[in-house]
Amino acid sequence: MIDAYADPGTPDTRGGWRYLWWLVLRQPGRSAAGALLGSTWMVLLAAQPYMTARAVDDGLVPGRLGVLAGWAGAMFVVGAVNAWLSIMRHRTMTRVRMDANFRTVKVVVGHVTRLGAALPRGAGAGEVVTIGVGDVQTLAQALTVVGPGVGSVVVYAVVAGLLFTLSAPLAAVVLLGVPVVALLTGPLTRRLQGAEGEYRERQGVLTARIADLAGGLRVLNGLGGKGLFADAFRADSQRLRAQGYRVGAVASWVQALGVGLPTLFLAVVTWLAARLAAQGSITVGELVSVYGYVAVLIGPVAFFVMMAYDLNRGVVAARRVVGLLRLEPEPDEGGLPAPDGPAELHDPASGVRVPPGRLTVLAATRPAEAAAVVDRLGRYGPTDATWGGVRLDAVPLDAVRERILVADNEADLFAGPLREVVAAARPADDAALGRALYAAAAEDVVRGLPEGPDSPVAGQGRSLSGGQRQRMRLVRALLADPEVLLAVEPTSALDAHTEATVAERLRRAREGRTTVVTSTSPLVLDHADTVVFLADGKVAASGPHRLLLAKEPGYRALVSRDTEDAKDRGAVDAVDAEEAVR
């Protein structure tokens, strides 16, 4: 099976069928073993009717007890060997499926990691979740065709050949049976493929809505939009249910035909064989063998139907995986070296200049304008920003990411022990973690957890309050210790006292390193070396906080408004803490 740390290979993303074939080719030995074991197992199943015929015709004769015992013994040995083959076949095919599953997961996770910030622009969270939870399992199941699928084809040909030695009409019925089954079920499987594809798309949309609802329920309640969102969710879920009924209707017909047609097939062949026996064209033993052959064929014929069902579902799932793998990361054509040391960042679009080694705060009349400046300075999206006089998009992206960190106040928090949740490139020791917790005024968060820094945290920090989550994000950014830190509203969810503490400690913790913070809080602005006031996305003024208060009316109005808003911060943080306890 695939090594968790090994290279999964380069997937074939030219289509769903090609991706499934790539999964088979990545494990050729195991796939060949599954096909061989499946074929041998099914052929030996067909050998039992032949030995039964010989035992009846040659052994059920007075004085030939030894012949009967010999054939009975041979049947026992073949049965025992076949039982062992069945176990090995099942184990091998389980490994084939698990390899396809884990390999696809690794390929998808690796590609999502490479996409980085480009992922949300190409695929929604619901689509990614649906692929990871459902599509990966479905396409792995489709690889069952490698073992029993090949075996079914082989035993079908073998049984047809054996029947041909008994009766050409019987062999013709058997050979024509599968094409007839395919003609009857083919339209249904194609219809199933279309219905299944639409169902998966709707499922992705609904999953995204669930994620949005879970993440923004408090905001929706505050804005009075919970009812509107609930109505939209109800409508989407009803459409998904209706589509699920359509998928279920088609699937039920496919499965019913998979059981009914082979049984009808058995009845037709048995009736023809009985007629031949009554006419004396075949012996009683041969009649028994014909019945056995056809009984053996019920499995392969039924599997042909189910194989088409699984393959169509697998192709739909593989196409969704391939669609995600075709998304391209941000273009990286940079070939110029990054500055040797700390250097000025400049955003021509806004006029913002960030001197190295200092704390700069961006205060904008609209917070989105400050966030847009940070995105350009951090090279998230198109930018003409420069770093030490060199365009950021001319520097290799890895070099930018290694030295410039954008800390978004809505960045994801993964589930796990708190120590690992806030870990950067490598786990932090207790001393470094303690310093980061102190700088983010988050020591009380750790003290309130039952196992301290080793306490488990739910995904997205749902077991923490809003203010606690924000401080944990800041702890993570400080542990990364980047040369340039660009933090978007790192204190917006904190009460005034905690915000003032964080602002003071952040300045000391980042002393001598370039730090940019977006905020309109006077508690943060008062600690800045330079405040850049943005109006309509452009620099309107810059300088120390108190000087701007005295000389810039627009800035004074902005900060005064924020001062009024800050009076309610303590109540908000208290509500967050109460929700976390509940």
Side-chain angles (χ1 to χ4, degrees):
M1 201 151 37
I2 182 173
D3 183 350
Y5 300 98
D7 180 11
T10 302
D12 190 337
T13 59
R14 289 176 290 177
W17 289 107
R18 289 183 178 274
Y19 183 80
L20 292 176
W21 182 240
W22 174 77
L23 289 176
V24 173
L25 295 180
R26 292 305 297 178
Q27 41 182 335
R30 193 178 295 125
S31 299
L36 179 62
L37 289 169
S39 301
T40 307
W41 171 65
M42 286 193 171
V43 168
L44 288 183
L45 286 178
Q48 292 286 1
Y50 174 81
M51 290 186 288
T52 301
R54 298 278 62 80
V56 170
D57 288 341
D58 300 340
L60 293 182
V61 178
R64 306 193 69 178
L65 184 60
V67 175
L68 179 62
W71 281 114
M75 293 173 66
F76 175 80
V77 172
V78 170
V81 171
N82 225 19
W84 177 81
L85 286 173
S86 178
I87 294 172
M88 299 307 297
R89 174 197 60 83
H90 181 76
R91 287 182 179 179
T92 302
M93 291 313 304
T94 299
R95 289 177 177 272
V96 168
R97 290 193 296 271
M98 292 178 68
D99 184 282
N101 190 321
F102 295 151
R103 191 178 299 276
T104 300
V105 168
K106 193 168 182 181
V107 165
V108 168
V109 171
H111 188 67
V112 166
T113 302
R114 287 190 295 273
L115 286 174
L119 176 62
R121 295 192 290 270
E127 184 177 357
V128 177
V129 171
T130 303
I131 289 172
V133 173
D135 292 326
V136 171
Q137 297 281 352
T138 301
L139 67 87
Q141 179 63 32
L143 264 66
T144 304
V145 66
V146 173
V150 174
S152 296
V153 174
V154 171
V155 74
Y156 190 78
V158 169
V159 169
L162 290 172
L163 287 176
F164 190 79
T165 63
L166 300 177
S167 169
L170 283 177
V173 170
V174 170
L175 288 174
L176 293 174
V178 170
V180 171
V181 170
L183 288 173
L184 292 174
T185 59
L188 285 174
T189 55
R190 285 193 296 272
R191 182 180 173 188
L192 176 65
Q193 187 177 132
E196 182 82 15
E198 185 176 348
Y199 178 80
R200 290 291 185 183
E201 294 294 336
R202 292 189 183 277
Q203 190 177 38
V205 171
L206 192 64
T207 305
R209 286 198 182 276
I210 293 173
D212 292 342
L213 180 63
L217 185 58
R218 285 199 313 125
V219 177
L220 288 170
N221 281 332
L223 297 176
K226 185 174 68 173
L228 292 175
F229 195 96
D231 291 341
F233 179 82
R234 187 180 298 109
D236 283 341
S237 63
Q238 288 174 350
R239 283 193 290 268
L240 179 65
R241 181 183 62 184
Q243 185 64 23
Y245 286 155
R246 284 193 286 272
V247 173
V250 179
S252 64
W253 275 104
V254 172
Q255 293 173 356
L257 290 174
V259 174
L261 288 179
T263 304
L264 180 62
F265 182 59
L266 171 64
V268 171
V269 176
T270 303
W271 180 80
L272 290 174
R275 296 271 300 176
L276 292 174
Q279 296 170 2
S281 301
I282 60 175
T283 66
V284 174
E286 290 171 338
L287 172 63
V288 173
S289 68
V290 168
Y291 184 85
Y293 292 147
V294 179
V296 169
L297 283 181
I298 286 182
V301 174
F303 186 79
F304 286 147
V305 178
M306 297 311 299
M307 180 175 67
Y309 172 71
D310 286 339
L311 278 177
N312 277 282
R313 296 184 71 235
V315 169
V316 171
R319 286 172 181 165
R320 289 174 56 79
V321 171
V322 165
L324 179 62
L325 296 179
R326 283 177 176 172
L327 296 179
E328 294 292 336
E330 295 178 359
D332 183 16
E333 300 176 356
L336 298 179
D340 293 334
E344 180 187 68
L345 282 169
H346 176 222
D347 175 37
S350 63
V352 170
R353 290 185 180 274
V354 179
R358 298 173 68 82
L359 173 60
T360 302
V361 179
L362 304 181
T365 54
R366 289 190 291 269
E369 294 172 353
V373 173
V374 168
D375 282 346
R376 291 193 293 269
L377 293 177
R379 195 179 159 185
Y380 283 92
T383 180
D384 57 357
T386 61
W387 184 19
V390 180
R391 284 181 61 103
L392 267 176
D393 53 11
V395 177
L397 187 59
D398 289 344
V400 175
R401 296 286 180 262
E402 183 180 352
R403 296 171 60 183
I404 300 177
L405 172 66
V406 174
D408 194 323
N409 65 342
E410 294 296 332
D412 291 335
L413 291 172
F414 297 103
L418 179 66
R419 186 188 303 274
E420 296 180 7
V421 170
V422 299
R426 54 187 178 278
D429 55 37
D430 290 338
L433 179 59
R435 289 192 297 270
L437 289 170
Y438 175 79
E443 311 102 304
D444 62 312
V445 179
V446 177
R447 285 196 299 266
L449 297 175
E451 300 175 40
D454 296 314
S455 300
V457 175
Q460 299 298 343
R462 287 187 295 272
S463 54
L464 304 174
S465 71
Q468 290 171 339
R469 288 194 294 270
Q470 193 167 55
R471 282 180 282 170
M472 288 302 106
R473 293 186 180 102
L474 182 56
V475 168
R476 183 170 61 185
L478 292 172
L479 283 174
D481 195 25
E483 178 185 315
V484 179
L485 173 61
L486 310 175
V488 179
E489 298 286 351
T491 62
S492 59
L494 305 182
D495 62 86
H497 173 73
T498 305
E499 185 176 34
T501 303
V502 170
E504 179 184 356
R505 293 179 181 179
L506 177 62
R507 177 184 174 86
R508 291 204 302 264
R510 295 284 302 171
E511 187 72 34
R513 278 167 293 179
T514 306
T515 306
V516 177
V517 174
T518 70
S519 178
T520 56
S521 168
L523 301 173
V524 176
L525 295 165
D526 198 36
H527 289 85
D529 293 313
T530 303
V531 175
V532 178
F533 173 47
L534 298 172
D536 296 325
K538 304 289 185 180
V539 175
S542 64
H545 167 61
R546 296 183 186 276
L547 180 62
L548 291 180
L549 278 178
K551 294 188 174 183
E552 185 62 41
Y555 178 78
R556 184 167 55 249
L558 175 66
V559 174
S560 298
R561 182 184 63 195
D562 196 76
T563 302
E564 292 298 319
D565 294 341
K567 293 180 180 180
D568 298 327
R569 296 265 186 90
V572 172
D573 210 45
V575 170
D576 283 343
E578 184 179 349
E579 288 185 354
V581 171
R582 289 201 297 269

